[in-house]
Amino acid sequence: MFRTALIAGALLIAGPVLAQSQPAGDRVKVNGMEMYYEVSGEGDPLIVLHGAYMNIPSMGAIIPKLAETHKVYALEFQGHGRTTDIDRPITYPNLADDVAAFMDAVGVEKADVFGYSMGAAAGLQLAIRHPEKVNKLAAASVAYDAEGWQPAFKAFIPQMTVEMFVNMPFAEEHRKLAANPDGFPALVKKLIALEHEPMAWGPDVKTLKTPVLIITGDADVATLEHSVALFRLLGGGVMGDMGKPLPASRLAVMPATSHTAVIGQRELLHAFIEPFLKGKTPKGMFE
């Protein structure tokens, strides 16, 4: 899920890819803000949720790829991209409620969801708080408990300051799209506060009925052990080939992949996400 300075590299890498597809965007009133979103493709609805400090363009080429087989609704969160900020903290429950309200506003009763980083955690909270709205959730670089962060990241959180971020390259990228070009410091302050929010969702995750695809880099911001623990909470980690169906949830690990390298791997991401959303599984020799 992301977060902090790590995202700078992802923004710089993804940026040049974006001009390839420019679907028409629109705005809708959601919980006191003007939320910007773009719709592309045809098929079953798929909500796409970006990471912290990001926007629709910085999600890169995965959006047009998913739009080849889905009707993609890509939105921009509170204070991000072209969506206005409001006098309210950025928390995962708030972001999830915003997505639910967005779906109501645009007439999407239920959809699949793909989220990256902060967007993946918001998607997890959406499935917890509004399960009737989520068909399947693909969550890349996600955690369900703050104890699951890598030790290096946990040590970095207390060192975060607004000044640390306002001089980074993606601060200028934010200004180019922002509804309030001078609002970046206020956004950073809220996102730093988000890192300090309590996160211990294990009991809620364990009761989920929504199928979840967990995607993680093998050098991601959450530990591999945490991703496996999440998979087990969702019923995964059992042996196949024993005459019983595989669990509905899945786990995919990207090799040689850091947190910011996850979102740039369009083909690999798509190879994980598309079969999951379509309900396809590899056939074993006993089937």
Side-chain angles (χ1 to χ4, degrees):
M1 128 183 4
F2 191 42
R3 340 211 8 137
T4 78
L6 298 176
I7 209 66
L11 290 171
L12 293 174
I13 292 169
V17 179
L18 301 163
Q20 296 177 4
S21 177
Q22 296 293 335
D26 202 352
R27 288 174 173 81
V28 64
K29 291 187 180 297
V30 172
N31 293 339
M33 71 188 82
E34 291 284 335
M35 179 172 279
Y36 179 82
Y37 70 100
E38 293 179 352
V39 182
S40 54
E42 297 293 335
D44 294 332
L46 172 62
I47 308 291
V48 173
L49 307 175
H50 62 74
Y53 302 99
M54 295 178 73
N55 47 46
I56 294 170
S58 58
M59 284 293 280
I62 188 60
I63 291 178
K65 184 66 175 177
L66 291 168
E68 292 176 4
T69 50
H70 303 271
K71 186 172 185 179
V72 173
Y73 294 79
L75 60 83
E76 292 178 337
F77 283 123
Q78 174 187 342
H80 289 74
R82 288 143 287 196
T83 296
T84 58
D85 201 357
I86 54 175
D87 186 15
R88 183 194 71 172
I90 293 177
T91 68
Y92 294 116
N94 282 347
L95 295 176
D97 291 349
D98 290 343
V99 178
F102 165 80
M103 293 174 69
D104 288 341
V106 299
V108 176
E109 184 175 342
K110 191 171 187 178
D112 294 319
V113 178
F114 166 57
Y116 166 62
S117 194
M118 181 183 77
L124 196 56
Q125 275 294 315
L126 180 68
I128 291 169
R129 297 170 67 83
H130 305 277
E132 75 284 355
K133 292 187 173 295
V134 183
N135 183 32
K136 293 182 178 180
L137 168 65
S141 298
V142 71
Y144 68 93
D145 194 298
E147 291 304 308
W149 300 130
Q150 295 277 7
F153 184 72
K154 288 193 283 187
F156 180 55
I157 291 174
Q159 304 175 37
M160 293 179 185
T161 65
V162 173
E163 292 72 26
M164 183 183 295
F165 293 96
V166 295
N167 294 320
M168 289 186 176
F170 60 85
E172 185 57 34
E173 292 301 312
H174 173 89
R175 179 182 291 271
K176 292 177 182 178
L177 290 182
N180 175 14
D182 298 320
F184 188 68
L187 174 64
V188 174
K189 186 175 181 180
K190 291 181 180 183
L191 292 175
I192 291 175
L194 176 65
E195 303 294 353
H196 294 272
E197 282 285 316
M199 178 190 281
W201 307 339
D204 292 325
V205 170
K206 195 171 184 178
T207 64
L208 278 179
K209 304 301 182 186
T210 304
V212 181
L213 166 63
I214 306 153
I215 303 172
T216 185
D218 62 2
D220 215 316
V221 68
T223 66
L224 283 171
E225 292 82 0
H226 186 70
S227 296
V228 172
L230 174 57
F231 186 43
R232 291 192 183 281
L233 281 177
L234 294 164
V238 299
M239 182 178 176
D241 295 328
M242 301 300 290
K244 294 182 179 180
L246 293 175
S249 292
R250 304 183 186 185
L251 172 64
V253 179
M254 292 179 156
T257 300
S258 69
H259 181 74
T260 57
V262 167
I263 198 61
Q265 298 187 65
R266 181 186 78 163
E267 298 303 326
L268 189 53
L269 277 174
H270 189 259
F272 292 148
I273 296 170
E274 189 67 11
F276 169 67
L277 296 183
K278 298 298 186 184
K280 297 179 180 178
T281 58
K283 295 300 181 183
M285 65 182 296
F286 299 117
E287 295 181 72

